[in-house]
Amino acid sequence: MLTIHNKDWARLLADEFEKPYFKELSDFVEREYAQKTIFPPYNKIFNALESTPPDKIKAVIIGQDPYHTPGAAMGLCFSVPKGEKIPPSLNNIYKAINNDYAFDPPNHGDLSAWAEQGVLMLNTVLTVESGKANSHKDKGWEKFTDAVIKKVNEIDRPVVFLLWGSPAQKKAKLLNNKKHLILESVHPSPLSAYRGFLDCGHFKKANDFLRENGIDEINWNNN
């Protein structure tokens, strides 16, 4: 049975774990890991939640599903372990940060430092079969991560949601807490980033909002 070790998330999502769909999802995921090559590593499935407890959340970045190439997925959207090639979308994220805050982009793609500062880096689907993008779509993960997003929406203090691309933007319908800030842009993929992502200003806007609400800014430079 899939298990979250962070006690706060486990408590918040306790009802979700008891629902029939989650038990079916858990059985499916366990079976897939036993029979196939699945990413991220099993102990990193809930890395986004384990790395960023609910009481630490300042911002939320929503991705789609994990990287489906060996060694890349680490349970944080857009992030890859140190030593792995920086993906094109993350390169564009670094360019956008550079447009907000002139900085020397790091030589790695590990965004764990963001997660530790309070950036919940959540894919909407948390597992994938090797070489098969979206292979675990519509298996139940979307219901689960929607439940996570709803729990963050209920947090009674300001949180920034960064919604990049239409799949992420569709999650805006789950967000009705007036304390939060929703920032939307095209996806940082090379296919769309030139249509407004690179100069979206989201990283500075997020920090301005946090600062105005008495919350420590995020250091986006993860060197």
Side-chain angles (χ1 to χ4, degrees):
M1 182 76 173
L2 293 171
T3 305
I4 291 179
H5 298 292
N6 179 273
K7 292 179 181 178
D8 292 331
W9 278 121
R11 176 179 52 79
L12 278 179
L13 298 167
D15 290 347
E16 215 62 29
F17 296 138
E18 297 301 319
K19 293 181 179 178
Y21 89 84
F22 189 85
K23 294 183 177 181
E24 291 176 13
L25 169 64
S26 186
D27 288 345
F28 166 77
V29 170
E30 298 280 1
R31 197 163 56 245
E32 288 284 287
Y33 272 89
Q35 299 173 355
K36 302 174 183 177
T37 301
I38 307 297
F39 303 129
Y42 186 84
N43 66 347
K44 296 289 187 182
I45 292 174
F46 294 116
N47 193 19
L49 300 177
E50 306 286 8
S51 298
T52 313
D55 64 329
K56 302 293 186 185
I57 295 174
K58 299 177 184 178
V60 180
I61 298 176
I62 296 176
Q64 296 181 42
D65 68 337
Y67 297 118
H68 55 86
T69 53
M74 58 180 293
L76 305 175
C77 67
F78 295 106
S79 182
V80 295
K82 289 179 180 177
E84 292 294 318
K85 183 179 179 182
I86 299 173
S89 290
L90 182 52
N91 264 323
N92 285 331
I93 290 171
Y94 285 163
K95 289 176 184 177
I97 296 171
N98 190 52
N99 284 336
D100 284 0
Y101 304 99
F103 85 130
D104 293 324
N107 61 3
H108 65 84
D110 186 347
L111 304 179
S112 298
W114 294 5
E116 291 165 5
Q117 291 181 77
V119 182
L120 178 63
M121 308 184 66
L122 185 70
N123 280 315
T124 54
V125 173
L126 300 188
T127 55
V128 69
E129 183 179 348
S130 177
K132 297 183 179 180
N134 290 317
S135 51
H136 287 185
K137 184 182 178 184
D138 298 328
K139 301 296 185 182
W141 278 127
E142 294 89 344
K143 290 182 182 179
F144 176 76
T145 53
D146 277 2
V148 172
I149 293 167
K150 289 175 184 176
K151 291 297 183 185
V152 180
N153 176 63
E154 293 170 4
I155 292 175
D156 191 30
R157 54 179 168 72
V159 173
V160 184
F161 289 83
L162 299 104
L163 309 181
W164 303 331
S166 57
Q169 288 167 14
K170 288 176 181 174
K171 303 303 179 183
K173 67 180 184 291
L174 306 175
L175 308 174
N176 59 8
N177 188 331
K178 300 300 184 186
K179 291 190 175 183
H180 302 329
L181 174 66
I182 300 173
L183 298 174
E184 299 185 17
S185 175
V186 296
H187 196 273
S189 160
L191 298 175
S192 56
Y194 67 92
R195 290 191 279 111
F197 179 80
L198 296 177
D199 57 0
C200 67
H202 280 188
F203 302 93
K204 187 174 186 304
K205 289 174 182 175
N207 272 345
D208 288 348
F209 175 77
L210 294 172
R211 186 178 64 253
E212 288 162 7
N213 284 281
I215 300 168
D216 288 343
E217 297 180 20
I218 297 159
N219 178 8
W220 298 106
N221 186 346
N222 64 325
N223 270 309

